[in-house]
C-alpha cells in the first residue's frame, strides 16, 4: 500500500555529516579569546567583590575614593551636617542664633575653647535652658538644646563642631572623631541634658 | 560513540555553570544587603518608598514605562577635587603653595597663577586642584593647610549621564533594595528616571506632562496618558486638583480634568525616585547644604534647605 | 504493518501531522497578531496620540504583547514542531503520543492567549521577555513539559538498526551514516528541549513566585533573556539549519562536518549561557565583565556556524528560487550577522555607545526574525506538505513571503542598527540635548516601520498558506468519510488510504 504513495518524501534519505576535523586556527582562536577573557577579567572584574562597581576595577580603587575622615575635610562635611537641617534651625545659617532664645556661635567662648570637652557634651546630651554667660555677658537661653547622640555618629559630631569652630571667622582647632568617641564613652550612662552649671563644672580637657 | 550522554552532560554543566554564576551568586552577594548608613552620616539608606509611591510602581509596571525609560546610570570615572574654602591670613603663602602644587601637575588646572594672589584667591570657595584620588588629595591638602588655608576635598563622579544632569553618581544595588519589580530598563527612548524626583520635583508638572507631554516638552514622542485622568462636570465648586490647562487642551466650560488615583500614585512614585546617597561602593561628596538622600522624600523634614529635594509625596493632600 | 513501513519517512511524517497542525497553526496566528501589534506600536513613534486613549492599546502594553506573541506565541511552538519532527525523522521512528502532544500544544496556545490578555490588561510582570503573568506562566510551563516529554520519548525510542541506515547511505567511509551516532541536529534540539524548562522555571520562581530582592532580580532577568533569546533560539534554529542546509542542497557534500558542528554546539553552550548582562549594568563589576567576555567569545561558535554553512553549501548546484532553502540560508546568515553585532556591542568601548540605544533592538530582531523565524518558515514549508500529503495551495505566496520577510527584516534591522549608533554617539555627548537625540532617531524609525509592515504582509501570507493546508486536509478527510458513509460499501479507511485519497485529490 505504501508503495503507491507518491509524495516527494518517498525517495529522500536523511542528510549525512562528514568527518572533517575542526581547523586548527579555530581552536587557536578559541584559546586566544579565552586567554584574553581571563586577562581582561583579572583587570576589570573586581575579583567578584560585591562592593566594586564600574568604573572602579578593584576594591583598592574604591577605597582610594573614600572621604578622608579627619583633617581639613571635617570642615566640609560638618557644613553639610550643620545645614542638614539640624543646627541651622536654631543657630541660623549665619551662626548668630536668636536673641533671648538660641545662643550665637560666632566668637562665643563656649565654642572657641581650645579643648572641646564641654561643647561635645552639650551636643551629645543636650543642654537645659536658663541664664548663661557668653563672653562674660549674661544671655537668656530661653529654649533648651536637644541631645544629638542618637542622631549623629562620632564623625558627624566631630565634623559639625569643627565646622562651627572654624566658620564665620571663628578660629579654633579641629575636633577629632576620636575625641568625641572618648567623651561619648565617658558619659554613656547619662540620659538627661546638662544644666549650664553642671557643664561649667566639667573640665574642658576632660 | 555515546554522544547522546556526552551532549546531555555538556549541556547540563554549561547551564549549571551560568546558573551558579548569574542566579545563585548574585543571590548570595546581594540578597543579604540591608539598609546601611550613607557615607559619613547616620542616615539609613534606602528608607523605602512611601505607600503611595509603592502603588505608583505598580502603575509604572502595568503600563510598561520601562520600555522607554531606564532607571540606571553609568559613570565613566571619578575624580577628586580640592576646593579652597578659605585663603587664610597669609594669602601670598597660600597662592605660592597652590602654584607649587599646580606646577607639579602634568596639566595645570589654573592657568595664570602668576596673575597675583588676589586674583587667584577671589571668589571662594573655588576649585584649585583635580587629583586622581584621596591618597593624592591628602598631602596636597596638608600643604595648603600648613600655609594657613582651609580646603575641602570633594569626590566627583563624572560621565555623560551625570553631565546630562540625570544623577550625581552611578547607580548601585543598594539603590533598589526596596523595589519590586526592579525596573532598570534597557532603552532610552525617553530620558533616564533614576533621579527624576530630584530633577523634577513638581507634582503638577508631572500630572500635566502625563496628560499632554507635547505641551510640556516640545517635540516629545511620549504618548499622552489621558486614561489616567477623568474629565468630569464641575460640581458645586471646581476641584483644587483639576489640571490647569489652557488653549486647545482646556476642557469645555463647566468641565474639568482631574487625575485619577493611578495618576496620583504614579506621580508620587516618580517623585520618590532618587539615587544620590553617598555610599562606600559609590563614593560622592554631596553638594554643600543638601541632605544625603533617602528614598522617602517628605519623610525627613519640610525645612527650606531640603524643600527642593524632598517634595511632598501626597499631591492629593493639597 | 511491517517494521520497515512503520519507520518509513511517510509514516513518520504523518505521525507528526496532528501535533504540527496544532503547533504551526497556532504559531501562524500568533505571528500575524504579533506583526499587527508591532506595527501599531511602531506607528506610535510617529504619532504619539495614535490609539493612546485606551489603556489596553497604550505603547507600554501593546509592545510587550507584540514581542511575547512573537516569542511565546510563534517562536517556541514553531520551534517545538520542527524539533519534534526532526527527532522523529532522525531517530527513524514515528512521533510518540501525537494526540497528547496536540493537546499540550493547545494548552500552550491557551497559555499564550491568557498571558497576552494579562499583559494588555496591565498584569505584565515588568520583566522584559518574561511579561506573562504567573497564571499564564504555569500553563505554559506545564504545556511545554507535556510536549517536550514526548520529544524525549521519541528520541529514546529511536531506531538503532545500523544496517538499515547503512544500506541507504553512501559507501564513503568519511560519511557518518550510522543511525547509532546522533546527527548534530539532534544534539541541538534535545538541548533546547532541556533548556527551556530550566530557565523558565528558574525565572518564574525567583522573579514572580518568590521574588528575590533588589538587583538580583535584574541579574536573573538578564540571565533568562540571554539564555532564551540567544541560547534557546540558536539551539533550535541551528538544529533545523544543520538539517535542512545539506538536505535541500543536492550536490552538497553533507554537513561539513560532524566535528565542526559538535565544536559549534559546545562553544555555543559554554559561552552563550553567560550572554546578556550589558557592560553598564547596575551590578557588581564582575558580572557585566564576565558576561561581556563571554559574549565576545561567542565569536567562536558564530564563525564555526558560518564555516559550516559555507562548506556545506559548496558544490551544491541548486538555486533556492524562493523555496524553503532560501529561508534557511537567509536564516543562517542572519544568525551570523546578529551574533557579530551582539559580540561587538559587548566590547566595552562599543557598548559605551550602543547601550540603551536601538542597536540592541536591531540585533535581537535580526536574530528573532531574520534567523529564527525565517528558518522556521523554511522548515514549515518543507514539513507541512509531507505531513499532510498536500502541497501548499498558494505556491507563489511562499516566494512572496520570502521576499517580504527578507527585505522587511533588512529594512527593520539595518536602520535600527545605524540609528542606534547615531543615537548612541549623541547620547554620550552631553552637549547634545536629549530631545535632539530622540529626533535624530525618528528618520530611522520611519524606515523600520516600513520594514515592519513588509514583515507583517509576509506573515499574513504564511498564515494564509498554513491555514489553507489545514483546511484542505480536513476537507479531504471529510469528503473521504462522507463518501465512505454514503457508499456503505467500503470498510473504514485506514490512515494510509486517507492519505492516498488526498494525494490523488
Amino acid at each position: 500500500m505504501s508503495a503507491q504513495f507518491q509524495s516527494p518524501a518517498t525517495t529522500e534519505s536523511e542528510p549525512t555529516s562528514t568527518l572533517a576535523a575542526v581547523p586548527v586556527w579555530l581552536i587557536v582562536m578559541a584559546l586566544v579569546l579565552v586567554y584574553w577573557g581571563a586577562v581582561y577579567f583579572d583587570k576589570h572584574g573586581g575579583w567578584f567583590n560585591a562592593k566594586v562597581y564600574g568604573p572602579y576595577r578593584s576594591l583598592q580603587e574604591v577605597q582610594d575614593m573614600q572621604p578622608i575622615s579627619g583633617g581639613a575635610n571635617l570642615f566640609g562635611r560638618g557644613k553639610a551636617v550643620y545645614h542638614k537641617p539640624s543646627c541651622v534651625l536654631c543657630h541660623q545659617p549665619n551662626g548668630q542664633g536668636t536673641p533671648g532664645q538660641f545662643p550665637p556661635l560666632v566668637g562665643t567662648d563656649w565654642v572657641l575653647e581650645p579643648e572641646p570637652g564641654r561643647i561635645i557634651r552639650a551636643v551629645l546630651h543636650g543642654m537645659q535652658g536658663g541664664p548663661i554667660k557668653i563672653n562674660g555677658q549674661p544671655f537668656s537661653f530661653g529654649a533648651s538644646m536637644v541631645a544629638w547622640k542618637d542622631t549623629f555618629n562620632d564623625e558627624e559630631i566631630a565634623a559639625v563642631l569643627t565646622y562651627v569652630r572654624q566658620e564665620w571667622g571663628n578660629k579654633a582647632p579641629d575636633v577629632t572623631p576620636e575625641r568625641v568617641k572618648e567623651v561619648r564613652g565617658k558619659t554613656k550612662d547619662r540620659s538627661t541634658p546638662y544644666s549650664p552649671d553642671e557643664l561649667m563644672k566639667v573640665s574642658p580637657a576632660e | 560513540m555515546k554522544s547522546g550522554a556526552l551532549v546531555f552532560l555538556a549541556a547540563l554543566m554549561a547551564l549549571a555553570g551560568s546558573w551558579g554564576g548569574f542566579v545563585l551568586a548574585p543571590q548570595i552577594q546581594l540578597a543579604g544587603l540591608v539598609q546601611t548608613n550613607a557615607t559619613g552620616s547616620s542616615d539609613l539608606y534606602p528608607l523605602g518608598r512611601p505607600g503611595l509611591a509603592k502603588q505608583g510602581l505598580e502603575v509604572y509596571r502595568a503600563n510598561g514605562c520601562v520600555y522607554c525609560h531606564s532607571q540606571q546610570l553609568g559613570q565613566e570615572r571619578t575624580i577628586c577635587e580640592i576646593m579652597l574654602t578659605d585663603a587664610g591670613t597669609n594669602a601670598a603663602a597660600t597662592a605660592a603653595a597652590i602654584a607649587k602644587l599646580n606646577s607639579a601637575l602634568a596639566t595645570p588646572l589654573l592657568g595664570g597663577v602668576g596673575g597675583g594672589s588676589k586674583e587667584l584667591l577671589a571668589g571662594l570657595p573655588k576649585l584649585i586642584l583635580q587629583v586622581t584620588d584621596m591618597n593624592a588629595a591628602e598631602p596636597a591638602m596638608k600643604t595648603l593647610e600648613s600655609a594657613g588655608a582651609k580646603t575641602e576635598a570633594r569626590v566627583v563622579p563624572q560621565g555623560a549621564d551625570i553631565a546630562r544632569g540625570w544623577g550625581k553618581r552611578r547607580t548601585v544595588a543598594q539603590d533598589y533594595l526596596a523595589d519590586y519589580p526592579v525596573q532598570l530598563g534597557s532603552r532610552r527612548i525617553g530620558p533616564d528616571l533614576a533621579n527624576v524626583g530630584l530633577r523634577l520635583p513638581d507634582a503638577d508638572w508631572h500630572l500635566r506632562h502625563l496628560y499632554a507631554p507635547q505641551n510640556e516638552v516640545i517635540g516629545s514622542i511620549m504618548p499622552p496618558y489621558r486614561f489616567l485622568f477623568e474629565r468630569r462636570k464641575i460640581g458645586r465648586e471646581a476641584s483644587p486638583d483639576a489640571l490647569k490647562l489652557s488653549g486647545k487642551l482646556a476642557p469645555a466650560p463647566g468641565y474639568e480634568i482631574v487625575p485619577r488615583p493611578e495618576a496620583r500614585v504614579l506621580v508620587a512614585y516618580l517623585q520618590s525616585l532618587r539615587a544620590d546617597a553617598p555610599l562606600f561602593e559609590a563614593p560622592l561628596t554631596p553638594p554643600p547644604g543638601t541632605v544625603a538622600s533617602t528614598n522617602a522624600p517628605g519623610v525627613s523634614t519640610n525645612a527650606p534647605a531640603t524643600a527642593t529635594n524632598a517634595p511632598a509625596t501626597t499631591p492629593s493632600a493639597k | 504493518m511491517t517494521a520497515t513501513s512503520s519507520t518509513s519517512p511517510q509514516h513518520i511524517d504523518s505521525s507528526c501531522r496532528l501535533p504540527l497542525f496544532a503547533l504551526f497553526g497556532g504559531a501562524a496566528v500568533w505571528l500575524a497578531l504579533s506583526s499587527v501589534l508591532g506595527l501599531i506600536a511602531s506607528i506610535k513613534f510617529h504619532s504619539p496620540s495614535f490609539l493612546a486613549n485606551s489603556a489596553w492599546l497604550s505603547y507600554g502594553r501593546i509592545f510587550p504583547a507584540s514581542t511575547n506573541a512573537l516569542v511565546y506565541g510563534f517562536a517556541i511552538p514553531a520551534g517545538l514542531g520542527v524539533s519534534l519532527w526532526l527527532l522523529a525523522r532522525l531517530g527513524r521512528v514515528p512521533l510518540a503520543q501525537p494526540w497528547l502532544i496536540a493537546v499540550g500544544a493547545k494548552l500552550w496556545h491557551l497559555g499564550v492567549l491568557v498571558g497576552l490578555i494579562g499583559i494588555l490588561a496591565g498584569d505584565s510582570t515588568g520583566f522584559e521577555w518574561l511579561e506573562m503573568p504567573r497564571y499564564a506562566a504555569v500553563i505554559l510551563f506545564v504545556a511545554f513539559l507535556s510536549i517536550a516529554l514526548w520529544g524525549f520519548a521519541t528520541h529514546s525510542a529511536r531506531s538503532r538498526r545500523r544496517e538499515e541506515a547503512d544500506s541507504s547511505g553512501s559507501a564513503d567511509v568519511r560519511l557518518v551514516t550510522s543511525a547509532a551516532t546522533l546527527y548534530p541536529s539532534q544534539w541541538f534540539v534535545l538541548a533546547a528541549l532541556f533548556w527551556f524548562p530550566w530557565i523558565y522555571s528558574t525565572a518564574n520562581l525567583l522573579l514572580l513566585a518568590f521574588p528575590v530582592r533588589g538587583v538580583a532580580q535584574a541579574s536573573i532577568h538578564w540571565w533568562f533573556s540571554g539564555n532564551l533569546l540567544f541560547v534557546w533560539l540558536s539551539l533550535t534554529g541551528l538544529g533545523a539549519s544543520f538539517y535542512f542546509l545539506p538536505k535541500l542542497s543536492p550536490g552538497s557534500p553533507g554537513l561539513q562536518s560532524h566535528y565542526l558542528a559538535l565544536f559549534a554546539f559546545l562553544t555555543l553552550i559554554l559561552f552563550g549561557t553567560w550572554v546578556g548582562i550589558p557592560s553598564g549594568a547596575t551590578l557588581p563589576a564582575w558580572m557585566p565583565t564576565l558576561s561581556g567576555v563571554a559574549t565576545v567569545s561567542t565569536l567562536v561558535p558564530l564563525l564555526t556556524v558560518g564555516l559550516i554553512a559555507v562548506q556545506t553549501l559548496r558544490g551544491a548546484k541548486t538555486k533556492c528560487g524562493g523555496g524553503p532553502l532560501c529561508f534557511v540560508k537567509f536564516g543562517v546568515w542572519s544568525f551570523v550577522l546578529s551574533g557579530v553585532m551582539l559580540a561587538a556591542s559587548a566590547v566595552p568601548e562599543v557598548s559605551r555607545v550602543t547601550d540603551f540605544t536601538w542597536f540592541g533592538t536591531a540585533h535581537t530582531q535580526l536574530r528573532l526574525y531574520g534567523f529564527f523565524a525565517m528558518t522556521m518558515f523554511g522548515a514549515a514549508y518543507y514539513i507541512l506538505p509531507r505531513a499532510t500529503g498536500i502541497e501548499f495551495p498558494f505556491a507563489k505566496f511562499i516566494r512572496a513571503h520570502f521576499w517580504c520577510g527578507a527585505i522587511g527584516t533588512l529594512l527593520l534591522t539595518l536602520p535600527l542598527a545605524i540609528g542606534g549608533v547615531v543615537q548612541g554617539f549623541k547620547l554620550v555627548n552631553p552637549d547634545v540635548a536629549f530631545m535632539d537625540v530622540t529626533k535624530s532617531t525618528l528618520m530611522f524609525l520611519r524606515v523600520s516601520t516600513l520594514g515592519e509592515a513588509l514583515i507583517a504582509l509576509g506573515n499574513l501570507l504564511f498564515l494564509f498558506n498554513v491555514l489553507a493546508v489545514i483546511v484542505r486536509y480536513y476537507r479531504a478527510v471529510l469528503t473521504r468519510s462522507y463518501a465512505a458513509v454514503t457508499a456503505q460499501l467500503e470498510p473504514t479507511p485506514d490512515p494510509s488510504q486517507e492519505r492516498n485519497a488526498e494525494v490523488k485529490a
Side-chain angles (χ1 to χ4, degrees), chain C residues 115-180:
Chain C
L116 290 183
I117 292 176
I119 292 172
L120 290 175
D123 261 358
S124 153
T125 63
F127 295 107
E128 206 172 356
W129 308 107
L130 189 73
E131 284 94 342
M132 295 212 178
R134 258 179 293 187
Y135 44 80
V138 171
I139 306 178
L140 291 177
F141 185 69
V142 170
F144 191 96
L145 281 188
S146 70
I147 298 170
L149 182 66
W150 305 117
F152 288 120
T154 306
H155 180 70
S156 51
R158 68 191 178 278
S159 165
R160 290 168 190 280
R161 285 172 310 118
R162 182 180 290 265
E163 60 285 357
E164 187 202 7
D166 281 348
S167 67
S168 66
S170 145
D172 187 347
V173 288
R174 289 180 56 76
L175 293 183
V176 180
T177 56
S178 158

Side-chain angles (χ1 to χ4, degrees), chain A residues 1-2 4-23 25-27 29-31 33-34 36-38 40-42 44-54 56-57, chain C residues 9-10 13 89 92 173-177 183-184 243 246-247 253-260 263 271 282-286 289-290 293 296-297 299-300 303-304 307 348 382 386 391 494 496 499-500 503:
Chain A
M1 248 188 237
S2 52
Q4 301 168 341
F5 181 58
Q6 293 297 319
S7 99
T10 312
T11 53
E12 73 184 25
S13 60
E14 299 308 331
T16 54
S17 53
T18 71
L19 289 178
V22 178
W25 62 266
L26 208 53
I27 294 173
M29 182 184 153
L31 292 178
L33 272 174
V34 168
W36 163 82
Y40 187 85
F41 184 80
D42 180 43
H44 294 84
W47 276 103
F48 300 103
N49 194 303
K51 291 285 179 194
V52 180
Y53 290 78
Y56 305 104
R57 288 170 298 185
Chain C
Q10 296 81 4
D13 285 348
R89 266 294 188 97
R92 294 164 173 87
V173 288
R174 289 180 56 76
L175 293 183
V176 180
T177 56
Y183 185 76
Y243 180 87
K247 173 128 187 162
L255 189 70
Q256 280 270 38
S257 68
H258 188 81
Y259 293 122
L260 264 181
F263 185 70
F271 299 130
T282 299
L283 284 174
W286 69 267
T289 309
L290 192 57
V293 163
V296 173
S297 302
L299 282 174
V300 176
L303 273 182
T304 313
L307 198 65
Y382 181 85
R386 283 161 179 78
E391 283 298 335
D494 77 7
S496 54
R499 252 193 345 271
N500 297 348
V503 172

Side-chain angles (χ1 to χ4, degrees), chain C residues 17 41 66 79 157 211 213 217 271-272 285 305 314 325 370 386 388 401 406 414 426 484-485 497:
Chain C
R17 187 177 57 233
S66 149
R213 288 175 72 216
Q217 288 166 34
F271 299 130
V305 170
R314 183 183 294 156
L325 181 60
R386 283 161 179 78
T388 56
H401 180 196
L414 289 186
K426 296 198 169 176
V485 169
Q497 276 178 325

Side-chain angles (χ1 to χ4, degrees), chain C residues 40 470 478:
Chain C
I40 295 175
I470 296 177
L478 281 178

Side-chain angles (χ1 to χ4, degrees), chain C residues 27-84:
Chain C
V29 173
W30 292 127
L31 178 68
L33 181 77
S34 155
S35 308
V36 172
L37 294 179
L39 199 56
I40 295 175
S42 193
I43 290 172
K44 283 170 186 272
F45 284 115
H46 318 303
S47 168
S49 314
F50 179 64
L51 297 180
N53 285 342
S54 152
W56 284 56
L57 295 178
S58 63
Y59 179 82
R61 299 190 188 185
I62 215 166
F63 174 75
S66 149
T67 57
N68 276 266
L70 181 59
V71 171
Y72 293 91
F74 168 75
I76 292 177
L80 278 175
V82 174
S83 300
L84 293 176

Side-chain angles (χ1 to χ4, degrees), chain C residues 56-362:
Chain C
W56 284 56
L57 295 178
S58 63
Y59 179 82
R61 299 190 188 185
I62 215 166
F63 174 75
S66 149
T67 57
N68 276 266
L70 181 59
V71 171
Y72 293 91
F74 168 75
I76 292 177
L80 278 175
V82 174
S83 300
L84 293 176
W85 182 81
L86 283 175
L87 286 175
R89 266 294 188 97
L90 289 168
R92 294 164 173 87
V93 281
L95 194 60
Q97 306 295 349
W99 272 95
L100 290 179
I101 296 176
V103 171
K106 305 267 188 222
L107 189 64
W108 175 273
H109 291 306
L110 175 73
V112 173
L113 178 69
V114 170
L116 290 183
I117 292 176
I119 292 172
L120 290 175
D123 261 358
S124 153
T125 63
F127 295 107
E128 206 172 356
W129 308 107
L130 189 73
E131 284 94 342
M132 295 212 178
R134 258 179 293 187
Y135 44 80
V138 171
I139 306 178
L140 291 177
F141 185 69
V142 170
F144 191 96
L145 281 188
S146 70
I147 298 170
L149 182 66
W150 305 117
F152 288 120
T154 306
H155 180 70
S156 51
R158 68 191 178 278
S159 165
R160 290 168 190 280
R161 285 172 310 118
R162 182 180 290 265
E163 60 285 357
E164 187 202 7
D166 281 348
S167 67
S168 66
S170 145
D172 187 347
V173 288
R174 289 180 56 76
L175 293 183
V176 180
T177 56
S178 158
T181 304
L182 297 184
Y183 185 76
S185 294
Q186 286 169 295
W187 316 328
F188 281 82
V189 297
L190 281 172
L193 287 185
F194 162 75
W195 225 257
F196 184 80
W198 186 333
I199 60 172
Y200 198 62
S201 58
T202 297
N204 274 294
L205 283 175
L206 297 181
L207 294 180
L208 305 185
F210 311 101
V212 300
R213 288 175 72 216
V215 288
Q217 288 166 34
S219 162
I220 294 170
H221 169 225
W222 272 312
W223 174 82
F224 169 76
S225 32
N227 271 287
L228 178 70
L229 295 177
F230 187 75
V231 182
W232 193 87
L233 288 185
S234 302
L235 285 175
T236 309
L238 289 178
S241 296
F242 287 172
Y243 180 87
F244 286 106
L245 280 178
K247 173 128 187 162
L248 299 178
S249 322
S252 146
L255 189 70
Q256 280 270 38
S257 68
H258 188 81
Y259 293 122
L260 264 181
L262 184 60
F263 185 70
F265 175 77
L266 291 177
T267 49
L268 181 77
I269 60 175
L270 179 66
F271 299 130
T273 41
W274 300 84
V275 160
I277 301 185
S279 73
T282 299
L283 284 174
W286 69 267
M287 288 190 239
T289 309
L290 192 57
S291 183
V293 163
T295 310
V296 173
S297 302
T298 58
L299 282 174
V300 176
L302 291 169
L303 273 182
T304 313
V305 170
L307 198 65
I308 292 173
V310 168
Q311 294 187 347
T312 302
L313 293 170
R314 183 183 294 156
K317 290 176 193 70
T318 45
K319 278 189 179 168
C320 67
L325 181 60
C326 281
F327 286 92
V328 179
K329 269 182 171 171
F330 185 88
V332 82
W333 293 121
S334 296
F335 171 77
V336 175
L337 181 60
S338 74
V340 170
M341 284 163 75
L342 173 70
S345 69
V347 176
E349 285 73 22
V350 181
S351 72
R352 187 178 157 263
V353 173
T354 55
D355 264 9
F356 298 115
T357 69
W358 287 102
F359 192 82
T361 313

Side-chain angles (χ1 to χ4, degrees), chain C residues 474-488 490 493:
Chain C
Y474 282 115
R475 204 168 59 193
V477 170
L478 281 178
T479 315
R480 180 83 190 147
S481 315
Y482 181 73
V485 169
T486 47
Q488 290 287 326
E490 276 186 89

Side-chain angles (χ1 to χ4, degrees), chain B residues 53-193:
Chain B
K54 274 189 184 150
Q55 292 174 39
L57 174 55
E58 293 294 296
V59 179
Y60 191 93
R61 167 190 63 72
N63 290 296
C65 306
V66 70
Y67 299 105
C68 296
H69 295 281
S70 61
Q71 277 185 26
Q72 52 175 341
L73 298 173
Q75 178 177 323
E76 285 154 31
R77 72 196 81 80
T78 315
I79 57 158
C80 190
E81 288 182 345
I82 299 177
M83 309 287 291
L84 184 69
T85 51
D86 182 354
T89 43
N90 189 348
T94 303
I98 294 173
K100 198 174 146 214
L101 287 169
N102 243 314
S103 63
L105 295 178
T107 47
L109 185 66
L110 296 176
V113 174
S117 53
K118 260 193 195 143
E119 201 175 311
L120 178 65
L121 301 177
L124 298 182
K126 174 170 189 172
L127 172 63
I128 49 165
L129 271 180
Q130 276 181 342
V131 290
T132 51
D133 56 35
M134 282 293 182
N135 290 344
E138 206 157 10
M141 289 165 79
K142 289 252 162 69
T143 310
L144 289 167
E145 225 174 315
S146 57
K150 286 276 168 215
T151 55
E152 189 188 342
R154 308 181 51 75
V155 178
V156 184
Q158 291 184 328
D161 293 351
I162 294 163
R164 279 196 183 279
W166 285 346
K168 297 189 169 66
R169 59 158 172 82
R170 68 155 302 144
T171 48
V172 292
Q174 191 77 24
D175 298 324
Y176 307 89
L177 218 50
D179 288 342
Y180 176 81
V182 170
Q183 300 279 277
L184 292 182
S186 60
R187 288 194 295 182
R188 283 180 179 161
I189 299 169
D192 186 275
L193 299 182

